[in-house]
Amino acid sequence: ANAAVDPNLVSGFNEFAFITHQKLYQSGKSDVYSPYSIGVLMALLVNGSAGNTRDELTQALHITNTDHLNMSIDLLNQSLTNNK
């Protein structure tokens, strides 16, 4: 099932995670955050958005294809948790 995971989504989430870490990381602090969880939440917001908001969300997530976005997230989650 890993082959079915949308590489656009994986690549976008990776880029989003690196950028998020660069912006949130502060030396000497012990904050905990999950760029993956933030990315999933933002991807879910894409479903209910339109126009500029949708464009900004997809740009922030570095994803270009939102076809079957929920299914792609589900497949990615399954591949990460081995719940096939």
Side-chain angles (χ1 to χ4, degrees), residues 24-26 28-33:
L24 295 180
Y25 175 76
Q26 295 179 16
K29 298 249 182 172
S30 59
D31 297 334
V32 177
Y33 58 90

Side-chain angles (χ1 to χ4, degrees), residues 28-49:
K29 298 249 182 172
S30 59
D31 297 334
V32 177
Y33 58 90
S34 169
Y36 180 76
S37 295
I38 296 168
V40 169
L41 174 62
M42 288 176 63
L44 293 175
L45 291 173
V46 168
N47 292 322
S49 65

Side-chain angles (χ1 to χ4, degrees), residues 15 26 50 54 61 73 77 84:
E15 186 68 23
Q26 295 179 16
R54 185 180 184 91
L61 291 171
I73 291 170
N77 284 331
K84 298 176 174 123

Side-chain angles (χ1 to χ4, degrees), residues 20-74:
T20 300
H21 178 70
Q22 289 173 347
K23 291 185 183 279
L24 295 180
Y25 175 76
Q26 295 179 16
S27 181
K29 298 249 182 172
S30 59
D31 297 334
V32 177
Y33 58 90
S34 169
Y36 180 76
S37 295
I38 296 168
V40 169
L41 174 62
M42 288 176 63
L44 293 175
L45 291 173
V46 168
N47 292 322
S49 65
N52 270 354
T53 302
R54 185 180 184 91
D55 292 344
E56 289 175 3
L57 286 167
T58 57
Q59 286 173 8
L61 291 171
H62 302 273
I63 56 175
T64 56
N65 182 4
T66 58
D67 295 339
H68 313 291
L69 184 58
N70 292 343
M71 183 176 61
S72 296
I73 291 170
D74 187 44

